[in-house]
Amino acid sequence: MSAAPIISAFRQALTEAWAGGAGALMPLGFFAGAAVLVPLGIGTDPNTLRAVGPGILWVALALASLVTLERIFQADVEDGALDLWLQTGAPASMIAAAKAFAYWLTAGLPLAILSPVFAVMFQAKADTSLLTHMGLYALGGLAFFFWGGVGAALSATVRRGGLLISLIALPLYVPTAIFGALAMSGGPGSTGAPLFLAASTLFALAVAPFAMGAALRLAAD
């Protein structure tokens, strides 16, 4: 099996993500909007912000990950690129995983890197724990983009399939969001939560590519 089609799909996805979705700018704007508006809505009490902050930020991260995924496979179906990928003999699952990873690098990783800034807005302590939180956001965001890719693959033949992607992907986001928020809350059960978050991400990396590949093969038929 040649790796050339997979590398080509990865490079194409990097270019696509910036050209069609403004790269990290659109999801970052969504994420920042949620981080700014929520404190305005619930008040400025530090204890309240500290309590709800992790959950709000993980929900915002989950929703922001969906912003760029509508066209991840739809453009390939429309212009015939998907048929060409499949004709190379490369596994559809690997091509799908490469494209999902490229979108995470373009949009998900910048969100994780800037997440400490928004965490401080929710009264998180400005110390080295923010770097740990940044790693958790990157890990959980990877699961979000791969599960979102499953929704995108299943709706690749649907015009304006953003709502359908959300309906498919959001239930799959639940374990990652729960363990991620719990890991940052510092409350009961938070000690083992990072391990469960890592397990949920590994599960997504193991299962989602095959689900995406099967869905893309159906879309190509």
Side-chain angles (χ1 to χ4, degrees):
M1 181 193 70
S2 174
I6 299 172
I7 296 173
S8 178
F10 175 78
R11 291 176 176 172
Q12 181 207 44
L14 286 177
T15 304
E16 253 177 19
W18 279 107
L25 299 182
M26 190 181 299
L28 182 59
F30 186 98
F31 191 73
V36 171
L37 291 175
V38 169
L40 294 177
I42 66 176
T44 58
D45 178 63
N47 293 327
T48 301
L49 291 176
R50 195 175 298 115
V52 303
I56 294 297
L57 290 177
W58 274 93
V59 170
L61 180 66
L63 296 176
S65 70
L66 294 171
V67 172
T68 62
L69 290 176
E70 182 176 350
R71 298 286 295 173
I72 180 173
F73 299 121
Q74 192 176 85
D76 292 337
V77 172
E78 293 175 351
D79 62 15
L82 177 60
D83 293 326
L84 295 178
W85 296 132
L86 297 179
Q87 288 173 12
T88 63
S93 59
M94 295 299 294
I95 292 174
K99 290 179 71 72
F101 185 69
Y103 271 71
W104 173 78
L105 280 178
T106 305
L109 188 58
L111 286 175
I113 292 173
L114 293 175
S115 62
V117 176
F118 303 117
V120 170
M121 297 178 63
F122 285 91
Q123 302 300 312
K125 294 182 180 179
D127 55 21
T128 55
S129 65
L130 290 179
L131 296 179
T132 302
H133 291 177
M134 183 172 64
L136 294 176
Y137 278 120
L139 188 63
L142 189 58
F144 287 154
F145 273 80
F146 269 69
W147 286 132
V150 174
L154 288 170
S155 60
T157 57
V158 179
R159 300 283 297 178
R160 302 294 181 183
L163 179 59
L164 181 58
I165 295 174
S166 300
L167 292 175
I168 295 171
L170 287 177
L172 300 173
Y173 285 3
V174 171
T176 302
I178 290 175
F179 293 133
L182 185 60
M184 296 179 183
S185 67
S190 61
T191 303
L195 294 178
F196 285 107
L197 175 63
S200 69
T201 299
L202 289 175
F203 181 74
L205 296 179
V207 175
F210 294 99
M212 287 187 282
L216 290 178
R217 289 193 176 278
L218 289 175
D221 290 341

